[in-house]
Amino acid sequence: MSRFPVISLRSGRILLGLTVLLPVVRADEPDYQLPDFATYSAQVANQTPVATFAMPVSGLRFEPRVDVQARNLPEAQADVTIRGGVFENTGFKVGALSLYDPQTGHYFAEIPVAPAMLQSPKVLTGADNALSGFNAGVGTVAYGWRPIEQRGEASVAAGDYATNRQSFYQGYAAPVGGSGGLTLGADVELSRSESDGSVPFGDHNFKRAAARVQLRGPGSQTDIFAGTQAKFFGWPDLYTPFGVDETEDLHTQLYIINHRQWTSPDNYWEVGAYSRRNYDDYEFNRFIPGEFNPYQHTTYVQSTAVDGHAAFDTFAVSYSAQAMRDSLESTALVFGRFHTRDYLKLSAVPEVRVPTSAGELKLSAGATYDETNRDGSAVSPVVTAALTQPDGTRFYAEYAESTQVPTYTALNSSPTGGLFRGNPNLGRETSRNLETGADFKSGGWTVEGAVFYRWDDHLVDWTYSLASSAARTANAVNTGTFGLQVVATHKTKLCDLVLGYTYLDKTADYGGAAVDASFYALNFAKQRLTAAVTARLGYGFEVRMDNEFRVQEKNLLRTTGGNSAVRSSLGLYYLPPAIRGLELSALVGNLWDSGFQDVPSVPAARRQFSVGAAYRW
């Protein structure tokens, strides 16, 4: 008989070298259900991180389709990559709106929205990203606005390294307008956390406040949102490989209005607008503020967008449009040709549905149009063919192109001096994706698989040269990426299991640039296996475990931790039957204390523990 803490179990399965114990529940055992809570991501087990409060990026940490490369905590600074792309290839979308930071992709995930207000994210790639993404060559993480319910939650946690966090969420909803079925709702969320950090000078202090008003009807939903977030954190070698204790101080404000109208989940239109301000104060040496340069930047973005899908019998069309304006104020990024830019993207992909003896055949062909007032325009094709059989099995093939333009850090950093060397002549990047795949259900499993090849031309990478005193230099590179990706999900009354596997092989051509190592374009996992396990043990206990095994491409800058890693996050949860709504938890991050460096030369966060309590009403 195997044991997990003090709970007797009778069966076990081996997963990633770990024993995952599944319970045998007796007929006379009370059925203690954990209280309702918002699932931030359906693809991961632990919804809340160990060392801070949950942010949108928290639900991506072990997502099988997404690779999160963290500095300090993923919630501190995270580069989010998809299918071997770089951090600036990945976009973020909420409702109809693609959110953006024009200074650098390092801040794309600075989204001051509480995950309790968002639906579980979808990862858009290939043709879906070409249609719905914005200035994101490889993929987009897309969220919808969660309907507001009458519920609340307060949580606290404390752990080693003087870690503590507190969060409060309250939602209100009430019917209005008589018999029209309208509901007026509002919710608010407040969170904070602080820690000394798992390495010296790896401290953090985070705060977030978010509020929303929502009007929801039988076929419509309008959301008005305001949020602000302040984050200070330190880390040795945060961006430079010179053994210096660096810090970042970020302040983000976001205001959104979004309206969605639908007659079915696949027949809808959505429109919105947002304004975003992001302030960044980076210190190369926290003990000598302003050394080399006072790196202080403020970006402003205003945008409007519409997207939708309209079906007419055997014909349908998917469409989207987004217009954006940005501006930059900076003490360091002053060497480029411009500090403001206007963007426009238009997309339209018509489709026809043809019934056949093998199932419904869907054929679509369209294009996207991208332009800015600083760069040339581009027209990109999108072509797909998909066959859906009567049992729901789907086979597809597609070809899609996406384009994007570089951010201001790459364009406006000094090309001849300083820690970060830019290039004002960088131009539009093009990504071409050829893909085939299948989705099916079998034996209680839901499986999605894809094989693809992607060409990225003029991709902006940050590279290192042994002959240079710069921390990194912006260089254009042409890459070719072959990939295989499979995600399988199995759910039962006792256990949920999500498995993911990605294989990548990449070639790169930097032309005549002096490149000894790549921080991003060649920092990818050649093989990556993920496993998210949720085991309901009975008597109010639940174990959730996220696991990752990876074999990384070799990199001259990766100084410790090797090129392979096994990493896990483990949570034990208990609902005391005598106190309805109370949940007690014990969490461990980086369970095996892996020293693997997500970003080459950036030290890994160490193993960390926390215990917490949440009360839900």
Side-chain angles (χ1 to χ4, degrees):
M1 182 177 294
S2 302
R3 280 197 176 272
F4 187 91
V6 296
I7 303 170
S8 295
L9 305 171
R10 300 178 182 174
S11 62
R13 296 181 183 176
I14 302 299
L15 180 64
L16 293 177
L18 310 175
T19 301
V20 179
L21 303 175
L22 304 182
V24 177
V25 181
R26 297 188 302 272
D28 59 347
E29 178 180 311
D31 184 16
Y32 296 126
Q33 296 294 324
L34 290 174
D36 292 336
F37 65 96
T39 300
Y40 303 149
S41 174
Q43 304 297 316
V44 301
N46 287 291
Q47 304 294 312
T48 303
V50 174
T52 185
F53 53 85
M55 301 180 189
V57 73
S58 301
L60 304 176
R61 293 165 297 161
F62 291 90
E63 222 284 354
R65 300 172 183 83
V66 171
D67 193 2
V68 177
Q69 300 165 1
R71 295 173 169 89
N72 194 327
L73 311 169
E75 293 78 16
Q77 202 283 297
D79 294 338
V80 179
T81 69
I82 295 174
R83 290 185 170 183
V86 302
F87 64 105
E88 291 190 332
N89 283 154
T90 302
F92 288 84
K93 187 172 185 176
V94 179
L97 300 157
S98 292
L99 306 182
Y100 185 62
D101 188 286
Q103 181 199 333
T104 173
H106 294 312
Y107 307 144
F108 285 2
E110 296 302 319
I111 303 172
V113 183
M117 299 178 178
L118 300 174
Q119 295 176 341
S120 184
K122 297 180 180 178
V123 180
L124 309 180
T125 56
D128 291 334
N129 176 65
L131 171 66
S132 300
F134 181 88
N135 211 53
V138 175
T140 296
V141 181
Y143 299 87
W145 289 105
R146 186 184 298 272
I148 296 176
E149 300 175 312
Q150 186 78 26
R151 68 179 189 88
E153 176 180 340
S155 65
V156 296
D160 51 355
Y161 310 112
T163 300
N164 67 89
R165 61 174 170 85
Q166 303 84 36
S167 291
F168 171 82
Y169 172 85
Q170 180 63 62
Y172 298 94
V176 295
S179 60
L182 290 177
T183 299
L184 181 63
D187 56 358
V188 63
E189 193 265 1
L190 302 170
S191 294
R192 65 166 302 280
S193 72
E194 60 182 349
S195 174
D196 291 341
S198 61
V199 304
F201 303 107
D203 50 323
H204 85 258
N205 190 323
F206 298 161
K207 300 181 180 68
R208 180 182 64 211
R212 179 175 54 141
V213 175
Q214 181 183 91
L215 182 64
R216 181 175 173 85
S220 66
Q221 181 175 307
T222 303
D223 293 271
I224 302 174
F225 170 84
T228 181
Q229 184 169 276
K231 293 174 27 179
F232 171 87
F233 58 95
W235 203 250
D237 292 333
L238 182 65
Y239 293 108
T240 69
F242 302 138
V244 178
D245 294 316
E246 307 172 36
T247 65
E248 190 108 60
D249 191 9
L250 294 165
H251 298 262
T252 310
Q253 297 174 355
L254 180 64
Y255 306 94
I256 294 177
I257 182 170
N258 191 88
H259 176 78
R260 183 181 179 93
Q261 195 86 25
W262 66 88
T263 55
S264 72
D266 295 326
N267 200 354
Y268 74 94
W269 60 268
E270 194 165 19
V271 63
Y274 79 88
S275 177
R276 181 181 184 271
R277 176 187 182 274
N278 190 72
Y279 168 80
D280 162 45
D281 183 0
Y282 162 72
E283 294 292 350
F284 168 68
N285 187 335
R286 68 186 299 164
F287 304 109
I288 310 176
E291 186 175 12
F292 296 118
N293 240 330
Y295 293 96
Q296 297 174 354
H297 322 283
T298 304
T299 56
Y300 303 88
V301 177
Q302 295 84 37
S303 182
T304 61
V306 61
D307 68 14
H309 180 86
F312 311 93
D313 295 327
T314 60
F315 172 79
V317 61
S318 298
Y319 57 90
S320 69
Q322 184 150 346
M324 180 183 295
R325 168 170 292 182
D326 70 37
S327 63
L328 168 73
E329 298 173 358
S330 175
T331 59
L333 305 178
V334 296
F335 296 91
R337 296 177 288 116
F338 55 87
H339 295 85
T340 64
R341 185 160 50 189
D342 297 336
Y343 310 72
L344 176 66
K345 179 175 181 179
L346 305 173
S347 306
V349 180
E351 66 182 46
V352 294
R353 303 186 188 95
V354 181
T356 71
S357 59
E360 183 183 73
L361 179 64
K362 183 186 296 184
L363 302 173
S364 60
T368 68
Y369 173 77
D370 292 87
E371 74 164 20
T372 83
N373 62 334
R374 308 295 188 182
D375 312 270
S377 61
V379 176
S380 307
V382 180
V383 181
T384 68
L387 176 66
T388 303
Q389 297 181 335
D391 64 356
T393 299
R394 174 177 173 266
F395 302 93
Y396 72 93
E398 63 182 37
Y399 175 80
E401 296 183 7
S402 300
T403 74
Q404 65 182 94
V405 293
T407 56
Y408 288 125
T409 297
L411 291 170
N412 292 357
S413 295
S414 171
T416 58
L419 293 171
F420 313 109
R421 309 268 175 102
N423 183 347
N425 298 315
L426 294 168
R428 184 176 289 277
E429 309 165 36
T430 301
S431 182
R432 297 170 288 149
N433 187 78
L434 179 64
E435 179 175 339
T436 185
D439 311 331
F440 62 91
K441 295 181 179 181
S442 177
W445 289 87
T446 300
V447 181
E448 302 175 8
V451 179
F452 63 90
Y453 193 88
R454 189 180 68 250
W455 299 262
D456 292 315
D457 296 335
H458 311 296
L459 173 69
V460 176
D461 188 21
W462 289 89
T463 62
Y464 181 76
S465 171
L466 294 170
S468 173
S469 61
R472 61 195 66 193
T473 300
N475 279 304
V477 58
N478 296 332
T479 66
T481 305
F482 170 78
L484 166 67
Q485 195 165 66
V486 180
V487 180
T489 303
H490 184 71
K491 296 187 177 184
T492 68
K493 181 179 179 181
L494 302 180
C495 181
D496 298 340
L497 181 61
V498 181
L499 298 176
Y501 175 74
T502 301
Y503 170 83
L504 297 171
D505 183 66
K506 182 178 285 192
T507 60
D509 180 9
Y510 289 90
V515 175
D516 291 306
S518 162
F519 282 96
Y520 304 112
L522 300 185
N523 180 40
F524 64 96
K526 295 188 293 184
Q527 297 191 71
R528 180 173 181 253
L529 176 65
T530 61
V533 184
T534 300
R536 289 169 280 277
L537 306 179
Y539 291 106
F541 285 93
E542 184 168 303
V543 171
R544 304 175 198 159
M545 194 171 189
D546 292 292
N547 306 279
E548 175 193 71
F549 170 72
R550 65 193 300 137
V551 178
Q552 197 82 1
E553 178 75 4
K554 293 181 180 179
N555 195 300
L556 174 70
L557 289 163
R558 184 166 280 108
T559 55
T560 61
N563 296 308
S564 62
V566 176
R567 297 189 292 190
S568 301
S569 175
L570 177 66
L572 173 63
Y573 301 81
Y574 174 57
L575 173 64
I579 309 176
R580 182 179 178 84
L582 178 64
E583 178 190 88
L584 305 178
S585 61
L587 306 177
V588 186
N590 193 6
L591 179 63
W592 314 115
D593 203 22
S594 169
F596 175 78
Q597 297 176 343
D598 285 350
V599 180
S601 81
V602 179
R606 311 310 302 184
R607 178 168 52 218
Q608 194 162 355
F609 305 85
S610 70
V611 294
Y615 184 72
R616 302 183 176 98
W617 57 89

